[in-house]
Amino acid sequence: MSDTAAIVLAAGLSRRMGDLNKLLLHVGEDILLAHVISACAAATDHQVTVVTGHQAQAVIDALAPASVNVVHNRQFEEGQMTSVESGLRGAPKAETYLIALGDQPLLTAGDLKELLAAHQAQADGRITVPMVGAIRGNPIVVPAAQRALILADPVNLGCRKLTRTSPERVHQFRTANRSFIADIDTPEDLAVARSYAISKEYNLNAAL
């Protein structure tokens, strides 16, 4: 492993889930957020940073007694880019930063290690973004130098915008692994995930 710090974004409003906070729902043996944090912890080198916002105390309580570095984004309602900024500012100093979404139930530590290995071998200082066909995935990998550029220029705080408008700063990791593009946004998505009894022992790639 390289010197990598993981940041898990857990501040969103989960609007498409109605009154439910999707990150706190059980999918298999763990709540969704805990599954992502565990995968990140096993693949990186520092305490995982979790960015909270919506229902922050409920998220913190649900993660106890997990050892995580919690960063609260007071501006979470302004969009994901504010959580990216909060995470980059609050994470431990590292050579690279793995920025993950809290709602990806298929991600494993092996998937993340594969992504990080590709970044280390080919990125040459760029941000690494997984691509499954034409679909942009998550997590992304941000080198320390790019972190400084993102934080210095408020216009580019949103990594999705950055990768779209500045392709020269992006390394596309081409993969057929659908774990990087599978997430849970709606009750229907949750029902599908639960129907496969997601746990640490499963692999759903063949089913999606």
Side-chain angles (χ1 to χ4, degrees):
M1 290 186 294
S2 62
D3 178 31
T4 303
I7 299 166
V8 179
L9 307 183
L13 293 166
S14 299
R15 287 190 175 98
R16 284 182 280 178
M17 289 296 292
D19 295 332
L20 301 174
N21 186 332
K22 62 183 177 181
L23 302 183
L24 305 183
L25 299 177
H26 273 80
V27 181
E29 296 179 351
D30 292 322
I31 62 170
L32 181 54
L33 179 59
H35 170 80
V36 176
I37 291 171
S38 294
C40 288
T44 57
D45 309 282
H46 298 271
Q47 188 179 46
V48 175
T49 295
V50 177
V51 181
T52 62
H54 177 58
Q55 297 183 351
Q57 191 57 54
V59 169
I60 293 170
D61 291 346
L63 292 177
S67 177
V68 295
N69 171 37
V70 176
V71 174
H72 183 62
N73 173 20
R74 296 182 182 275
Q75 299 175 299
F76 69 92
E77 292 189 63
E78 296 181 19
Q80 191 180 92
M81 68 179 187
T82 62
S83 292
V84 172
E85 178 186 7
S86 295
L88 287 173
R89 291 190 186 281
K93 290 184 178 180
E95 292 179 7
T96 54
Y97 297 85
L98 179 75
I99 303 178
L101 306 181
D103 66 347
Q104 292 187 270
L106 305 191
L107 285 178
T108 66
D111 298 329
L112 300 180
K113 289 177 182 179
E114 180 184 10
L115 174 64
L116 290 169
H119 172 81
Q120 188 171 17
Q122 302 173 1
D124 297 323
R126 295 172 292 170
I127 295 171
T128 294
V129 176
M131 296 292 297
V132 181
I135 304 175
R136 178 195 182 280
N138 286 287
I140 65 171
V141 185
V142 176
Q146 293 287 352
R147 169 192 178 274
L149 290 173
I150 292 171
L151 294 179
D153 183 357
V155 174
N156 287 330
L157 283 177
C159 286
R160 186 177 297 275
K161 180 177 180 180
L162 175 68
T163 57
R164 185 174 63 247
T165 60
S166 303
E168 73 280 0
R169 291 168 64 179
V170 178
H171 161 237
Q172 294 187 352
F173 168 53
R174 296 284 177 179
T175 176
N177 186 344
R178 296 182 66 85
S179 297
F180 293 111
I181 59 172
D183 58 12
I184 292 178
D185 289 321
T186 67
E188 292 76 17
D189 295 336
L190 179 65
V192 170
R194 283 177 166 171
S195 73
Y196 286 101
I198 297 175
S199 69
K200 293 180 182 179
E201 289 75 33
Y202 78 84
N203 184 328
L204 286 182
N205 283 333
L208 292 181

